Amino acid sequence: MKLNKIAGLSLACSTLLMSCWNQNDTPVVVTDYKCQVQSIGSDSPVGEEVGNVVDGDIYSKFLTFSSSATVLLAPVKRSRLNGYTLVSGNDEPMRDPASWTLEGSRDGQSWELIDTQSDVIFQERNQSQEFNVVTEEPFAHYRFHLATNGHDILQISEIKLNGVWDNHDKQPIAQFKADQTAFFDKGTVQFQNLSVQGDSYQWFFEGGEPTTSTEANPTVTYATHGRYPVKLVTVNNQLADTAFHDAFVNVKRLGGWEYFQYPHINFVNTTLGGNGDLYNALVPEPIELINEVCMDVCKILYRSVDEIDVLKVLDYSIQDIETISAKGGNPPHINIFFSSSYLKDKKGELTDKELIDEIVGVLFHELAHGYQYAPKGAGGYQRGADYFGLIEGVADYVRLNAGYSSYDYRKPGGHWNDGYKTSAFFIDWLHTKDPDFVYQLNQSAKTIIPWSWEAACQTILSASVEDLWNEYQDYLKNEESINQITKK
């Protein structure tokens, strides 16, 4: 009987201690704070590596050419979990994980099972699903074993571990953000300290005024062109942590095209001795042409050389293919194919100058894909999606603006999301509302998340895209009537 009373008392004290512990804990997404992540046995394409699962962006993703993957997560401090969230990828539902296990470890060697799930279905793209778990003891490492339902490619956009930090782990975490990080000529930046368990702070602002600060949330002015790093040291008693971001602040200059960085170009004509001889005769200096078009594309889409951080490597090949041209890959490394057989077929119909113009016009369109910003959350690459209308519309607008397309193709009808010439002519007409429209439209693909034509038009022109489209259609019909009268 005495032992039972002692056991009961011990249990009561333990329950009370746990209750007090929980009351002092602040819920946090532990993977938002410098979480280290790695995958085992996965092969990912460029831009779709495992680090994307903790980048806070549900529109990026981790992809592996395997039906399963092991993802290891190491938060910066020990933590207890009360749940976790998985976010599906942006395409191909069969690539979603359908089953998995979640394990925790204190030392990275011995693992304890936390949760098991099977036959999970994500109903939508970029959909978040939350799962409740309880870990009464803190873990330093977490491990997911993910598997599809038999598909040979696995993808996932985000993994979030929800919980609380271990109160016995006093290590501070240095972290910050700012209200703006890029502007022209001169600007003031308000920094927001996101540090955890810090008692004092030391900031370092190269290129800024002041250059250092001990305030929690300092305000800094930048007045000289350049990209500048920011460092924050967060201190707690004898412990410290540092957050450092290189080129965090970008003070842009208007123009500066003499500093334009051309991509590294790998050019190959695979059909020399055949159809490729015509391309070789028409374009004897292909790399020089590509470089010239790269800069011209950027001058249409951007206002400053300091804004361009997209295309770094370009593989350009001449091939005997049925499609006139196509772009593959994603910035910073893309590949472009151009059809030598198409060029040969057109030889009898077009003059040499017209053939060269076709080569250059197509190059403007494809290189626009390498330099334009891709919108997030705007649907997939299919007709009718906002993504398609923007991507293909802007690329054809760039070609039109460069003088390698004709207004003879413009006519009423269609939809702003049809892409290509239909969307390009609409974008061109929208410059009557704002002469800087395509620049702002391209910028909006980076700043509006999720992106949509409606959100972009409301932001740039304070009008709905449907109203603008209807006004544009009325303009075209009126133009068509005038042309018919003129012909008579």
Side-chain angles (χ1 to χ4, degrees):
M1 181 66 69
K2 187 175 181 180
L3 289 176
N4 288 339
K5 287 184 178 180
I6 293 174
L9 181 61
S10 175
L11 178 60
C13 290
S14 176
T15 302
L16 179 62
L17 178 61
M18 184 64 70
S19 175
C20 293
W21 191 14
N22 288 339
Q23 288 176 2
N24 294 327
D25 291 336
T26 301
V28 65
V29 180
V30 300
T31 43
D32 283 353
Y33 293 81
K34 296 184 178 180
C35 182
Q36 297 182 9
V37 58
Q38 61 177 308
S39 60
I40 298 176
S42 65
D43 50 350
S44 302
V46 174
E48 296 184 344
E49 296 87 356
V50 71
N52 288 344
V53 300
V54 293
D55 65 355
D57 182 358
I58 67 170
Y59 300 110
S60 68
K61 69 180 179 183
F62 163 54
L63 183 146
T64 176
F65 294 103
S66 175
S67 61
S68 62
T70 298
V71 177
L72 296 113
L73 302 150
V76 67
K77 292 160 62 75
R78 294 189 303 272
S79 59
R80 293 182 291 109
L81 298 189
N82 53 39
Y84 64 93
T85 301
L86 299 188
V87 183
S88 61
N90 64 332
D91 58 14
E92 298 297 335
M94 290 298 293
R95 297 176 180 178
D96 295 338
S99 61
W100 59 82
T101 59
L102 168 60
E103 300 170 302
S105 174
R106 295 170 182 80
D107 57 8
Q109 302 297 320
S110 300
W111 296 88
E112 298 179 22
L113 181 65
I114 297 174
D115 191 38
T116 299
Q117 296 289 334
S118 60
D119 300 321
V120 178
I121 297 175
F122 289 86
Q123 301 290 348
E124 301 174 5
R125 301 300 82 212
N126 300 117
Q127 178 190 4
S128 297
Q129 289 205 46
E130 297 183 9
F131 302 88
N132 295 322
V133 296
V134 175
T135 59
E136 294 184 357
E137 295 297 324
F139 290 113
H141 307 271
Y142 296 93
R143 182 171 70 182
F144 280 92
H145 296 291
L146 304 162
T148 67
N149 189 17
H151 197 275
D152 57 358
I153 297 178
L154 182 143
Q155 68 178 12
I156 186 167
S157 290
E158 202 78 4
I159 297 176
K160 298 181 181 181
L161 299 178
N162 309 310
V164 294
W165 299 122
D166 177 8
N167 288 334
H168 300 291
D169 188 340
K170 300 300 182 182
Q171 175 64 43
I173 305 172
Q175 194 154 296
F176 62 88
K177 67 178 183 179
D179 65 340
Q180 62 172 342
T181 59
F183 40 84
F184 286 103
D185 297 329
K186 181 179 180 179
T188 298
V189 180
Q190 177 65 62
F191 288 90
Q192 182 179 351
N193 196 329
L194 302 176
S195 298
V196 174
Q197 288 187 311
D199 292 332
S200 62
Y201 311 99
Q202 181 65 60
W203 295 84
F204 299 88
F205 307 107
E206 181 181 327
E209 177 60 41
T211 57
T212 64
S213 177
T214 57
E215 295 181 12
N217 301 291
T219 300
V220 182
T221 298
Y222 293 85
T224 305
H225 301 145
R227 295 177 182 263
Y228 300 105
V230 175
K231 182 169 74 171
L232 168 63
V233 180
T234 299
V235 179
N236 179 349
N237 297 322
Q238 300 300 314
L239 301 175
D241 185 46
T242 299
F244 176 82
H245 295 286
D246 194 21
F248 185 76
V249 176
N250 180 16
V251 185
K252 302 177 290 185
R253 73 202 113 184
L254 285 171
W257 297 108
E258 65 272 23
Y259 301 103
F260 181 76
Q261 295 293 311
Y262 297 99
H264 176 77
I265 300 171
N266 301 309
F267 176 85
V268 58
N269 189 335
T270 66
T271 57
L272 285 174
N275 290 334
D277 290 347
L278 177 57
Y279 185 97
N280 193 53
L282 294 170
V283 187
E285 300 292 340
I287 293 181
E288 181 178 322
L289 172 64
I290 294 169
N291 279 336
E292 181 180 339
V293 174
C294 281
M295 180 180 285
D296 288 344
V297 167
C298 289
K299 286 182 177 180
I300 295 171
L301 292 178
Y302 297 96
R303 293 293 169 265
S304 168
V305 70
D306 299 321
E307 295 177 298
I308 303 163
D309 59 355
V310 187
L311 182 59
K312 306 297 182 185
V313 179
L314 169 63
D315 300 328
Y316 192 95
S317 61
I318 310 303
Q319 300 184 14
D320 272 334
I321 54 177
E322 293 183 5
T323 304
I324 300 172
S325 184
K327 169 252 174 187
N330 294 296
H333 188 168
I334 69 169
N335 47 73
I336 296 175
F337 309 93
F338 186 82
S339 173
S340 56
S341 54
Y342 164 79
L343 201 63
K344 190 73 172 180
D345 291 342
K346 291 292 183 180
K347 173 63 176 173
E349 301 176 25
L350 305 175
T351 66
D352 283 357
K353 181 183 182 308
E354 289 172 331
L355 290 173
I356 293 172
D357 285 350
E358 182 70 359
I359 291 170
V360 177
V362 170
L363 187 57
F364 265 98
H365 178 101
E366 301 296 2
L367 281 174
H369 288 325
Y371 281 108
Q372 67 188 141
Y373 292 137
K376 297 179 179 180
Y381 185 81
Q382 65 267 347
R383 289 186 183 275
D386 279 0
Y387 182 96
F388 183 90
L390 178 71
I391 289 293
E392 295 299 351
V394 166
D396 251 21
Y397 169 79
V398 168
R399 177 175 179 169
L400 175 69
N401 184 272
Y404 292 94
S405 187
S406 172
Y407 286 97
D408 292 341
Y409 296 107
R410 188 171 67 178
K411 60 183 179 180
H415 189 275
W416 63 81
N417 272 337
D418 285 346
Y420 297 106
K421 290 181 175 63
T422 302
S423 300
F425 288 132
F426 179 46
I427 293 170
D428 182 65
W429 177 81
L430 287 170
H431 283 78
T432 64
K433 304 292 184 181
D434 186 332
D436 217 22
F437 183 77
V438 79
Y439 169 75
Q440 295 193 64
L441 185 67
N442 185 51
Q443 292 292 313
S444 76
K446 196 172 186 179
T447 59
I448 298 176
I449 302 174
W451 190 89
S452 68
W453 274 98
E454 179 64 19
C457 288
Q458 289 287 0
T459 299
I460 301 169
L461 300 174
S462 300
S464 76
V465 64
E466 186 171 3
D467 288 346
L468 291 166
W469 177 260
N470 290 337
E471 183 181 346
Y472 168 62
Q473 292 300 303
D474 290 341
Y475 165 81
L476 292 180
K477 291 172 184 176
N478 183 58
E479 180 185 57
E480 191 174 55
S481 299
I482 293 174
N483 289 338
Q484 290 175 353
I485 294 173
T486 302
K487 289 179 181 178
K488 292 179 180 180

